[in-house]
Amino acid sequence: MRYVFHPKALNEYGEAVQDYTEKRVKVAQAFIDAIEDTVYRIREFPTRYAVIEDDVRRCMARTFPYGILYTIEQDYILILAIMHCSREPGYWKDRK
């Protein structure tokens, strides 16, 4: 199934990559790999992951403290947030 990033989710992703790049390029690449793996897992089994509110689901990245919040639309998966787990809960709710 194809997927689409909400513009704010794409910004979050880019900002997180930038933050990790400033620390170490290898860590940034590991983060990118972890997020790509998480998106792959979502695409393979979109209904596998827990519903956290209404129709929004969350799949946790491996190794990094990030979760991907998404909804399953008619023809695609909408990625609402690339959320750091220590960030304020619910900040993404206006994206639905």
Side-chain angles (χ1 to χ4, degrees):
M1 182 175 275
R2 74 183 184 95
Y3 64 96
V4 175
F5 280 92
H6 185 284
K8 290 182 180 179
L10 197 55
N11 286 343
E12 287 172 339
Y13 186 25
E15 288 171 5
V17 169
Q18 184 63 37
D19 288 345
Y20 283 118
T21 299
E22 290 172 4
K23 294 172 186 163
R24 281 190 63 201
V25 173
K26 278 183 135 178
V27 175
Q29 187 57 57
F31 175 72
I32 291 167
D33 293 344
I35 296 301
E36 287 180 2
D37 172 69
T38 307
V39 170
Y40 174 80
R41 289 185 287 130
I42 292 168
R43 289 177 67 200
E44 288 296 302
F45 302 103
T47 59
R48 172 184 279 175
Y49 303 99
V51 173
I52 60 166
E53 184 174 309
D54 297 331
D55 61 344
V56 177
R57 295 175 181 268
R58 180 180 66 199
C59 180
M60 297 302 296
R62 295 180 177 137
T63 312
F64 290 86
Y66 280 82
I68 295 181
L69 305 181
Y70 67 97
T71 60
I72 303 169
E73 304 298 325
Q74 181 69 26
D75 298 322
Y76 62 96
I77 294 165
L78 175 60
I79 296 175
L80 296 170
I82 308 293
M83 183 179 83
H84 192 287
C85 292
S86 67
R87 195 167 183 182
E88 178 184 332
Y91 76 92
W92 52 269
K93 290 183 182 182
D94 68 335
R95 300 179 189 180
K96 297 190 328 178

